[in-house]
């Protein structure tokens, strides 16, 4: 037996590629009738190098490789011999070419306005910050309102009693009384006159005869709306000398007399240059009150009276 040949149906006959070798062909190895990988009858038959072009199919396939158009249709870059543009035909429409506007949305156009967008974003942030600030301030104000301590104005409960300034304001609103001395009630021995010029009362009339103990003038004051302190103003005249009188309010004499000095040191005996004014604080009740000027023991009473009035005390 020849080495390497063990007869028919031996292992070398089982080699499907035996027909490719010389010893296999010598022993009659045949390729399978159905063809297969590497066999002559296979679909992808062995070809000589350079006989097949990559990416093309056999002419019988009548199809173009991927990415190419069939030979008979022509490529995109080559015009078809059978095609004629409409404008080349008689009466054909002319093709109009329109330029793309410079501000269009193509690649040549301008991009978005980033500066405007940035300004808009800053404005929105500023508005939000301002809104938060206002809300916080409003919240603080609400808290103050709830506590009843907003600002410096006292609450209603803190004003349960009127302050002194309020009393003065109420008195100022009144039409406080005033009168000419000639309208007062005079004690016996007193009279009116107009001899000395300069009196401011109506007609230049004044009251005289006060220069004796027991003399007095009485003023009945009506319409006092609020009890309290008032200022009694007296226009008087002296003959260049000092004088004074006792003040009696509602029958009660005040310890401090009404001072009627010779302010300005006018000449003695000159009544016409001796017109002055003075004042005293009196406490009055609501309603009607009586105010008297009396010449009592110890007073200097050489004076005449022109006018009387009440005002709010000065601070």
């Amino acid at each position: 037996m020849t080495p390497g040949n063990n007869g028919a149906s031996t292992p070398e006959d089982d080699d499907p590629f035996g027909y490719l070798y010389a010893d296999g062909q010598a022993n009659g190895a045949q390729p399978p009738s159905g063809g297969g990988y590497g066999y002559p009858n296979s679909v992808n038959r062995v070809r000589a190098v350079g006989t097949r072009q990559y990416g093309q199919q056999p002419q019988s396939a009548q199809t173009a490789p991927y990415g190419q158009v069939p030979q008979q249709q022509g490529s995109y870059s080559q015009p078809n011999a059978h095609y004629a543009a409409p404008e080349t035909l008689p009466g054909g429409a002319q093709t109009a070419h329109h330029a793309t506007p410079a501000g269009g949305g193509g690649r040549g156009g301008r991009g978005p306005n980033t500066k405007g967008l940035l300004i808009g974003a800053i404005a929105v942030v500023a508005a939000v910050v301002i809104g938060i600030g206002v809300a916080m301030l409003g919240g603080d104000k609400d808290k103050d309102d709830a506590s009843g301590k907003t600002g410096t104005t006292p609450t209603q409960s803190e004003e349960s009693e009127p302050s002194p300034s309020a009393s003065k304001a109420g008195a100022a609103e009144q039409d406080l009384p005033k009168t000419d001395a000639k309208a007062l009630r005079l004690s016996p021995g007193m009279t009116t006159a107009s001899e000395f010029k300069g009196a401011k009362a109506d007609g230049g009339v004044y009251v005289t005869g006060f220069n004796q103990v027991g003399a007095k003038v009485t003023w009945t004051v009506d319409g006092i709306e609020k009890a309290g302190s008032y200022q009694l103003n007296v226009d008087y005249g002296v003959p260049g000398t000092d004088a004074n009188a006792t003040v009696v309010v509602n029958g009660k004499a005040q310890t401090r007399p009404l001072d009627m000095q010779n302010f300005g040191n006018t000449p003695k005996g000159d009544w016409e240059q001796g017109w002055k004014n003075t004042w005293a604080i009196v406490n009055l009740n609501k309603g009607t009150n009586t105010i008297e000027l009396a010449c009592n023991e110890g007073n200097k009473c050489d004076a005449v009276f022109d006018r009387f009035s009440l005002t709010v005390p000065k601070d």
Side-chain angles (χ1 to χ4, degrees), residues 43-60:
V43 174
N44 294 324
R45 293 181 176 84
V46 178
R47 296 175 181 271
V49 176
T51 60
R52 180 170 180 172
Q53 297 180 357
Y54 177 76
Q56 294 185 357
Q57 292 182 354
Q59 178 122 15
S60 60

Side-chain angles (χ1 to χ4, degrees), residues 23-36:
D23 55 350
Q25 293 176 1
N27 292 325
Q30 298 293 327
S33 60

Side-chain angles (χ1 to χ4, degrees), residues 118-315:
L118 178 60
I119 293 174
I122 293 174
V124 171
V125 173
V128 172
V129 171
I130 292 173
I132 293 174
V134 172
M136 294 178 65
L137 292 176
D140 293 340
K141 184 178 183 299
D142 293 340
K143 292 180 181 179
D144 291 340
D145 292 341
S147 63
K149 297 181 179 180
T150 303
T152 58
T153 303
T155 60
Q156 187 67 28
S157 60
E158 294 173 347
E159 296 180 339
S160 57
E161 296 182 0
S163 63
S165 60
S167 298
K168 293 180 181 180
E173 293 175 357
Q174 300 181 44
D175 186 11
L176 294 176
K178 58 185 178 179
T179 185
D180 289 343
K182 65 181 180 181
L184 301 179
R185 187 170 70 248
L186 305 178
S187 64
M190 297 190 67
T191 187
T192 61
S194 57
E195 180 182 355
F196 308 137
K197 305 300 180 184
K200 297 179 181 179
D202 185 23
V205 178
Y206 54 88
V207 172
T208 188
F210 189 68
N211 56 350
Q212 56 183 323
V213 175
K216 63 181 179 181
V217 293
T218 304
W219 182 23
T220 301
V221 181
D222 295 325
I224 300 299
E225 296 181 0
K226 291 183 179 180
S229 298
Y230 294 84
Q231 179 173 303
L232 172 64
N233 305 292
V234 177
D235 291 345
Y236 67 96
V238 290
T241 59
D242 294 336
N244 58 49
T246 300
V247 180
V248 180
V249 178
N250 295 324
K252 183 178 180 181
Q254 296 190 176
T255 57
R256 184 174 181 177
L258 177 68
D259 191 6
M260 295 182 290
Q261 294 185 21
N262 181 30
F263 298 110
N265 296 318
T266 57
K268 187 174 182 179
D270 189 352
W271 287 92
E272 293 186 359
Q273 298 296 323
W275 294 106
K276 319 292 181 180
N277 60 76
T278 188
W279 58 271
I281 298 299
V282 293
N283 293 317
L284 302 180
N285 300 324
K286 181 179 179 180
T288 302
N289 297 264
T290 58
I291 301 174
E292 294 179 354
L293 292 184
C295 180
N296 294 336
E297 293 289 343
N299 293 134
K300 298 178 180 180
C301 306
D302 195 6
V304 294
F305 299 104
D306 186 2
R307 298 181 304 180
F308 285 46
S309 66
L310 290 173
T311 58
V312 176
K314 298 178 181 180
D315 294 331

